[in-house]
Amino acid sequence: MSTPKVLTVTLEFEMGDRKIHAARIKAAYEAAVSAAIEAAKKELLDGSVITVRSRMTWDYRWAETSAQYTDIDVEWSEDDDEPDE
């Protein structure tokens, strides 16, 4: 029996100084979640995604203190759960 796995994707949108109303924020969140689900379904085997949970948080902090992420390519083996180096 295989072990269930969880893929977690974190998106963080740094917002500008303009006032943004809650309805637009909610719409942007829903669009991001929908796009992520569609992209995952396109890449994963049929039936791989059992449940999708999402949440939106809102906080105020200095944007400069956030970590910067770099887009890197990782080769994954179909035989194990560890990335090839």
Side-chain angles (χ1 to χ4, degrees), residues 1-68:
M1 181 174 202
S2 67
T3 304
K5 297 160 186 70
V6 175
L7 169 65
T8 301
V9 177
T10 303
L11 297 175
E12 188 170 284
F13 296 91
E14 183 177 328
M15 311 300 280
D17 289 337
R18 296 187 64 181
K19 184 173 181 175
I20 303 169
H21 296 282
R24 288 187 185 266
I25 291 169
K26 186 174 187 242
Y29 163 74
E30 290 173 353
V33 170
S34 293
I37 292 169
E38 289 305 312
K41 286 182 178 179
K42 181 180 174 186
E43 296 298 328
L44 299 171
L45 298 174
D46 288 341
S48 293
V49 178
I50 298 168
T51 303
V52 176
R53 290 179 294 274
S54 66
R55 67 185 169 126
M56 180 176 66
T57 60
W58 185 262
D59 63 349
Y60 294 91
R61 69 179 190 282
W62 296 108
E64 294 80 21
T65 63
S66 298
Q68 297 294 320

